[in-house]
Amino acid sequence: MLLRTDPFRELDRLAEQLLGAAGRPVTMPMDAYEREGAFWVHLDLPGVDPDSIDLSVEQNALTVHAERPAPGISQAEMVVAERPHGVFRRQLFLGETLDVERIEAGYDAGVLTVKIPVAEEAKPRRIEVGHAGEKKEITG
């Protein structure tokens, strides 16, 4: 016997059965961090066919779109339905210091990894300081 301990999940399941729509939005958990001159984003998309994943950039917004079809069990009575299915969509707003022309992405073991490099002109750089006896022209 399966025990249910989350009463709200049960209400969501009933609402889905009655209304035909998911009670909770389909989520795409994410981790993001900066390392090695780039921003790294990891998005959990378990069970998603890699061919259904679509990434696009428009006006400094990265959109991730993926789909996981519902299980084909139409004649069965669902006892527990906690695995999300349907369309997953998430939008990340990118700063102007990122190089959107060199974004890389890969999908492995249910995790989509996106690498967004920092633009070369936005990276810190060393500026040489001239000193007495050395002739450097400064223009303003």
Side-chain angles (χ1 to χ4, degrees):
M1 180 172 173
L2 296 174
L3 298 176
R4 296 186 195 114
T5 59
D6 183 357
F8 297 109
R9 189 170 305 279
E10 180 64 16
L11 287 173
D12 288 342
R13 185 185 69 79
L14 290 172
E16 183 176 342
Q17 284 179 344
L18 294 173
L19 303 175
R24 294 183 185 183
V26 177
T27 61
M28 191 184 305
M30 173 183 81
D31 289 336
Y33 55 91
E34 183 180 8
R35 182 183 75 198
E36 301 168 359
F39 279 90
W40 295 80
V41 179
H42 301 285
L43 299 133
D44 286 350
L45 291 169
V48 169
D49 180 0
D51 292 333
S52 79
I53 299 172
D54 181 45
L55 275 80
S56 61
V57 176
E58 185 177 343
Q59 297 180 356
N60 284 358
L62 174 68
T63 302
V64 180
H65 184 273
E67 188 171 350
R68 183 166 87 179
I73 46 176
S74 60
Q75 299 298 322
E77 178 184 346
M78 189 62 79
V79 176
V80 177
E82 296 180 347
R83 297 173 57 228
H85 58 273
V87 175
F88 297 78
R89 187 173 184 272
R90 183 135 190 190
Q91 199 166 43
L92 305 173
F93 294 98
L94 308 176
E96 293 182 17
T97 60
L98 299 178
D99 188 350
V100 297
E101 299 298 322
R102 296 187 312 137
I103 293 176
E104 298 174 19
Y107 181 76
D108 183 43
V111 178
L112 175 66
T113 300
V114 181
K115 178 183 176 188
I116 310 164
V118 174
E120 287 299 321
E121 57 270 7
K123 289 182 181 177
R125 60 188 181 280
R126 183 173 167 81
I127 299 172
E128 192 176 320
V129 177
H131 53 84
E134 192 177 305
K135 196 168 192 173
K136 291 214 177 211
E137 188 176 323
I138 298 176
T139 59

